[in-house]
């Protein structure tokens, strides 16, 4: 079973690429802020998995997980703020609310 880790590394790399692509696609294309943050988290853990598959040192892996966690916390804070300010987390609803506010400001 000496060759088992060598066989697993390409599978880890492929899974990492799939996670990064899936997460990035979700973060770019979805309109729901919660799903966008989830996509960023998935992509971040995919990048961490890629570092592990490439044999990165433990410190780099810990730093990567800390960065993903920090992004998740900031994302949740932004989502809560959007919900408080707009009453929604969907981008079209937020954009509509902004357009309505701007229209009211333009009126004499």
């Amino acid at each position: 079973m000496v060759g088992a880790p060598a066989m697993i590394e390409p599978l880890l790399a492929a899974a990492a690429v799939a996670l990064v692509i899936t997460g990035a696609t979700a973060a770019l294309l979805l309109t729901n802020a919660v799903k966008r943050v989830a996509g960023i988290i998935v992509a971040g853990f995919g990048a961490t998995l890629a570092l592990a598959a490439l044999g990165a040192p433990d410190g780099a892996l810990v730093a990567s997980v800390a960065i993903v966690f920090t992004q998740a916390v900031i994302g949740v804070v932004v989502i809560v703020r959007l919900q408080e300010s707009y009453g929604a987390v969907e981008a079209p609803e937020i954009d509509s609310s902004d357009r309505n506010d701007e229209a009211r400001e333009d009126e004499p």
Side-chain angles (χ1 to χ4, degrees):
M1 291 297 290
V2 174
M7 292 172 51
I8 293 175
E9 287 178 7
L11 294 174
L12 286 175
V17 169
L19 285 173
V20 170
I21 290 172
T22 302
T25 302
L28 291 173
L29 297 179
L30 297 175
T31 59
N32 188 306
V34 176
K35 292 178 183 177
R36 283 183 174 182
V37 170
I40 291 170
I41 294 168
V42 168
F45 279 119
T48 303
L49 183 61
L51 285 174
L54 293 172
D58 292 340
L61 296 176
V62 170
S64 177
V65 170
I67 290 168
V68 172
F69 178 74
T70 303
Q71 289 176 334
V73 169
I74 292 171
V76 169
V77 168
V78 169
I79 291 167
V80 168
R81 186 69 180 122
L82 285 171
Q83 182 65 34
E84 289 174 351
S85 296
Y86 295 99
V89 293
E90 293 285 338
E93 294 174 14
I94 293 169
D95 292 341
S96 174
S97 178
D98 281 342
R99 281 191 296 272
N100 290 340
D101 288 344
E102 288 173 3
R104 279 189 239 130
E105 289 175 0
D106 293 338
E107 293 176 1

